[in-house]
Amino acid sequence: MPDPYSEPLSIEHNHPSRTLDEAVLRRAIRHVVDAEGATLVHVSLVLSDHETVRRLNQSYLDHDYNTDVLSFSLRDGPGPSPPTDDTAVEGEIYVDLDTAAERHGEFDTSFDREAYRYVLHGLLHLLGYDDADPSGQTTMRKKENQYLDAVLPNASS
């Protein structure tokens, strides 16, 4: 059966004025997938704004508020059958660059590092990590920091 995707990673810059370095995004996503022993089937990353991410949050999760990142696994939905192992990553990540711009100062970090954190956070969800409880939150934060340090070694906090 032919591959249903033209490439395993697609990145859409859908924000009117903010962006991230596509080479860094690709390197970061591939690094995390490899380090987690996973297989990248397809990830669609959309860098967007408050309006888009809030609309998705409301439509799919019934949450009427802004959020930093949304991720949707495509492993269980319609479409091509995923690989039979549990390591396959297939999904969509929507990052709100407006939230990163507004909140990076709260965490004493740069806009870029905060936005890359959102990307990695969404990817970790696609890899099966959950932050619904304090233990999961701690695990995800440690993983985010580990991977941010690996792919952005010269960035501050």
Side-chain angles (χ1 to χ4, degrees):
M1 170 182 258
D3 187 354
Y5 301 110
S6 60
E7 61 180 291
L9 177 58
S10 62
I11 300 173
E12 182 179 339
H13 299 271
N14 193 31
H15 193 284
S17 62
R18 294 185 173 97
T19 191
L20 294 173
D21 185 302
E22 191 161 325
V24 173
L25 289 166
R26 289 181 181 281
R27 186 173 72 241
I29 289 168
R30 291 195 181 278
H31 176 81
V32 171
V33 169
D34 290 347
E36 293 289 325
T39 303
L40 185 60
V41 174
H42 183 78
V43 169
S44 175
L45 172 63
V46 180
L47 304 173
S48 200
D49 57 12
H50 279 330
E51 180 183 348
T52 301
V53 176
R54 185 178 184 132
R55 182 173 31 81
L56 292 167
N57 201 20
Q58 188 172 23
S59 295
Y60 291 96
L61 301 177
D62 204 25
H63 299 159
D64 190 15
Y65 51 80
N66 293 332
T67 190
D68 49 8
V69 62
L70 293 172
S71 58
F72 300 99
S73 175
L74 300 178
R75 294 279 321 272
D76 300 322
S81 297
T84 55
D85 66 70
D86 289 334
T87 65
V89 180
E90 183 178 18
E92 300 174 345
I93 303 169
Y94 295 84
V95 173
D96 185 347
L97 296 180
D98 292 335
T99 297
E102 293 169 359
R103 300 204 59 202
H104 71 90
E106 291 176 44
F107 305 107
D108 194 29
T109 192
S110 67
F111 160 77
D112 282 355
R113 190 168 175 97
E114 186 70 4
Y116 287 120
R117 178 180 299 280
Y118 299 169
V119 171
L120 298 183
H121 187 88
L123 182 59
L124 288 169
H125 277 301
L126 293 180
L127 285 160
Y129 290 92
D130 189 2
D131 56 358
D133 61 46
S135 173
Q137 292 167 9
T138 298
T139 298
M140 285 188 77
R141 181 54 61 138
K142 284 180 182 176
K143 291 275 187 183
E144 291 165 15
N145 289 337
Q146 171 191 340
Y147 293 135
L148 282 168
D149 290 344
V151 297
L152 302 174
N154 296 325
S156 63
S157 309

